[in-house]
Amino acid sequence: MTRSSTPLWTRDVEEMILPLLRELGIGFVPYSPLGHGLLTGQIRSVEDFPDDDWRKTNPRFTGENFHRNLAIVDEVKAIGAEVGATPAQTALAWLLTRGNDTAPIPGTRRVTRVEENTAAHSIELTTDQLNRLNRLRPAAGECHDETNTASIDR
Ligand SMILES: NC(=O)c1ccc[n+]([C@@H]2O[C@H](COP(=O)([O-])OP(=O)(O)OC[C@H]3O[C@@H](n4cnc5c(N)ncnc54)[C@H](OP(=O)(O)O)[C@@H]3O)[C@@H](O)[C@H]2O)c1
């Protein structure tokens, strides 16, 4: 089992890594399957983060990138509303359609959210809804800040 970059808003692994994993029979744990919380729709302002929250300076959560990325969340939320699912469940339900070798492990400190997130397996998305999710533009901004990005793949 390996883990690499993210879900719905970071699709680069699909071309670069997943084919090799499948050839070798290795499972995949997508990194931060809820986009560090953004894909849950609960984060609308970085001002709400405590000062020691690393997302406050992460490129995807700052400035114009953050506002552009909220548009991705809005579409996830709209599709969730159509099927009676929360945005978190919708993002996870999409991930669960990506193959039996893909095992998302969302992070949360709350039991109620574990229950909400695990219920994603029973959410059925239509072909049209999956196509809309597949067409979402990639996240604006690098996944990590400059220092962390420089340390990746070394
Ligand atoms: N990100 C990293 O650097 C890193 C490194 C090593 C391993 N991992 C592993 O990767 C997995 C997940 O990564 P992650 O925690 O960074 O990102 P994630 O799963 O994409 O998002 C987790 C965030 O989403 C929130 N959340 C979870 N479920 C929610 C829901 N239903 N509604 C609203 N908010 C919800 C959590 O807040 P609450 O906690 O307040 O619910 C938390 O802030 C974990 O297993 C983690 O241990 C991550």
Side-chain angles (χ1 to χ4, degrees):
M1 188 71 85
T2 189
R3 61 188 292 282
S4 186
S5 205
T6 332
L8 203 47
W9 69 344
T10 311
R11 308 280 303 270
D12 53 330
V13 295
E14 292 179 17
E15 276 183 29
M16 293 162 43
I17 294 175
L18 278 181
L20 178 63
L21 295 183
R22 287 181 173 152
E23 188 185 320
L24 298 175
I26 298 171
F28 177 64
V29 178
Y31 174 78
S32 295
L34 296 173
H36 303 303
L38 192 68
L39 294 172
T40 70
Q42 299 286 314
I43 301 168
R44 301 305 296 185
S45 163
V46 287
E47 301 309 316
D48 299 336
F49 291 150
D51 283 343
D52 62 354
D53 190 312
W54 60 270
R55 292 172 296 187
K56 217 163 186 169
T57 54
N58 177 274
R60 291 191 173 181
F61 287 84
T62 44
E64 182 56 26
N65 288 344
F66 178 72
H67 291 288
R68 287 179 56 190
N69 291 334
L70 284 180
I72 298 173
V73 182
D74 289 341
E75 180 68 350
V76 174
K77 193 173 179 180
I79 291 168
E82 292 170 13
V83 294
T86 66
Q89 289 173 327
T90 308
L92 294 170
W94 173 83
L95 258 178
L96 291 170
T97 67
R98 307 307 292 170
N100 289 336
D101 53 358
T102 296
I105 307 175
T108 180
R109 295 162 295 177
R110 304 172 210 206
V111 172
T112 52
R113 287 179 173 175
V114 172
E115 290 165 350
E116 174 188 335
N117 295 342
T118 51
H121 75 88
S122 59
I123 305 294
E124 298 271 352
L125 297 167
T126 65
T127 303
D128 174 62
Q129 289 163 339
L130 288 171
N131 287 339
R132 283 158 61 198
L133 291 167
N134 281 321
R135 282 198 302 269
L136 284 174
R137 67 177 174 203
E142 292 296 327
C143 218
H144 307 285
D145 65 23
E146 216 170 307
T147 310
N148 285 319
T149 300
S151 68
I152 291 173
D153 290 340
R154 295 202 177 265

